[in-house]
Amino acid sequence: MKHRAYLDHAATTPMLPAARSRWLQVSEFVGNPSSLHTAGRSVRQVVEEARESIAADLGSRPSAIIFTSGGTESDNLAVKGLFWQRQPRLETPARVLASSIEHHAVLDPVEWLASHEGAKVEWLGVDAQGRVSLDQVAEALRTGDVALCTVMWANNEVGTIEPVRRIAELCREAGVPFHTDAVQAVGQVPVNVAEVGAHAVTISSHKIGGPFGVGALILDPALTLTPILHGGGQERDIRSGTFDAAAIASFAVAVHHAVIEQPAHAAHVRELRDRLVSAILESVPGAILNGPAPASGVSPASGVSPASGASAASGASPATGEGPDADLRLPGNAHFSFPGCEGDALLMLLDAAGIDCSTGSACTAGIPEPSHVLLAMGVDEPTARASLRFSLGRSTTQDDVEAVVRALPAAVERAARAGKLTARARS
Ligand code: PLP
């Protein structure tokens, strides 16, 4: 088969050979990890070793790890579970603070709580780079009716790194549980749960080289929350369902590699990403880089979104984009708008040229929606629809980058021509 350039690692990334071997090895073990006999106990040991390993790698404690079916379940568990746990203790209706650029796995449960459970929602706005304002968080926390605050560690579309350490601090001062979705952060920036001080952290396996269908919510053991799945109560009665020992063991291997290889991985993808960004800004007239300008190497051309000083920061924490030299963007992310084009048309033209990338935003019933993330950043609707995300990973090579640089100018020209014809036909 002809070589394809896979540049959609934020959607999912190839499984690591070490994680696959571990999966295969454990899949041969017999025994339900909750059974009391020798077979069950030995599989249970595999689960508990994985728990210890993930906790050690991410600066947490084994008792904090709740295994789930992935990022979506962890986000739902954190948002709904914390809301239901806290609401009876607050004046009703309780409020939920959530950033306006969350993944749908957070956005939709928050909206569901508003429409079904009477939650009042305060959407935290972002600046032109996609950063949440600390002043707005502090202001929103002043009333005593906040059930939880949720702000993602790093955005999946534009790669913006959020000041989650400072937000966690503000929430702790206010006595409000803070949840962060770190699905895109693990492996790209240092993720240490204790250092950041979040009460609940979502992670997912298939984004870092582990198998699909497994993830975790890392929940401060001092907290509890109302379950969303009831049954055997396998995870501290907070989550039920028979452990998938092979997936969990393999996930632990993926986390370990993601954490120990993070500095080298970030340097690898950052170098390729910077080359990609520079080349696109040079060769595609009108291309706009969305999100923060990369801190390294890329000359801020006219096409780079303007920087904004709206996010205050105290102390330095490169993992959370704080400090004078901090990179505010995930090293593997490049996200552009090509005004005059439809993102979907571009995606299909690049697909035909052997390049896999993404528009980064969701479809509703097959109809492409302009990204809520870009709209929240102040991008207009036509420009938001004209967007593409390239996300780089372990397997990305210079050849992949060059393939995009070769194919993109012609694809943009064709998509822009098609866009003009459609506009003319409509008028
Ligand atoms: N959160 C973020 C930021 C994501 O990017 C994704 C996946 O795209 C999810 C949550 C959902 O994770 P999963 O695919 O493990 O359900």
Side-chain angles (χ1 to χ4, degrees), residues 10 70-72 75 103 105 152 156 181 183-184 204 206-207:
T72 302
D75 284 341
H103 187 274
M152 67 203 317
N156 48 296
D181 177 334
V183 165
Q184 297 289 340
S204 170
H206 74 98
K207 307 285 187 179

Side-chain angles (χ1 to χ4, degrees), residues 97 124 133-143 166 170 174:
L97 310 183
L124 303 167
S133 149
L134 291 170
D135 291 345
Q136 193 189 351
V137 176
E139 186 59 34
L141 286 167
R142 280 155 76 105
T143 52
R166 288 286 293 118
L170 291 171

Side-chain angles (χ1 to χ4, degrees), residues 23-110:
W23 189 92
L24 285 170
Q25 183 191 31
V26 177
S27 69
E28 291 191 11
F29 299 175
V30 179
N32 184 319
S34 299
S35 295
L36 296 179
H37 46 60
T38 302
R41 288 203 311 274
S42 62
V43 182
R44 181 57 176 244
Q45 197 180 332
V46 168
V47 171
E48 296 313 317
E49 282 168 7
R51 195 190 300 282
E52 282 166 24
S53 167
I54 292 173
D57 282 329
L58 297 177
S60 183
R61 282 188 275 165
S63 57
I65 310 291
I66 298 167
F67 288 116
T68 66
S69 63
T72 302
E73 187 192 329
S74 298
D75 284 341
N76 272 266
L77 177 59
V79 169
K80 293 176 187 159
L82 285 170
F83 179 82
W84 284 322
Q85 189 66 24
R86 294 259 304 159
Q87 192 191 26
R89 293 191 240 148
L90 300 168
E91 299 159 31
T92 48
R95 281 195 309 143
V96 176
L97 310 183
S99 92
S100 45
I101 58 158
E102 292 302 304
H103 187 274
H104 277 283
V106 167
L107 214 59
D108 291 12
V110 169

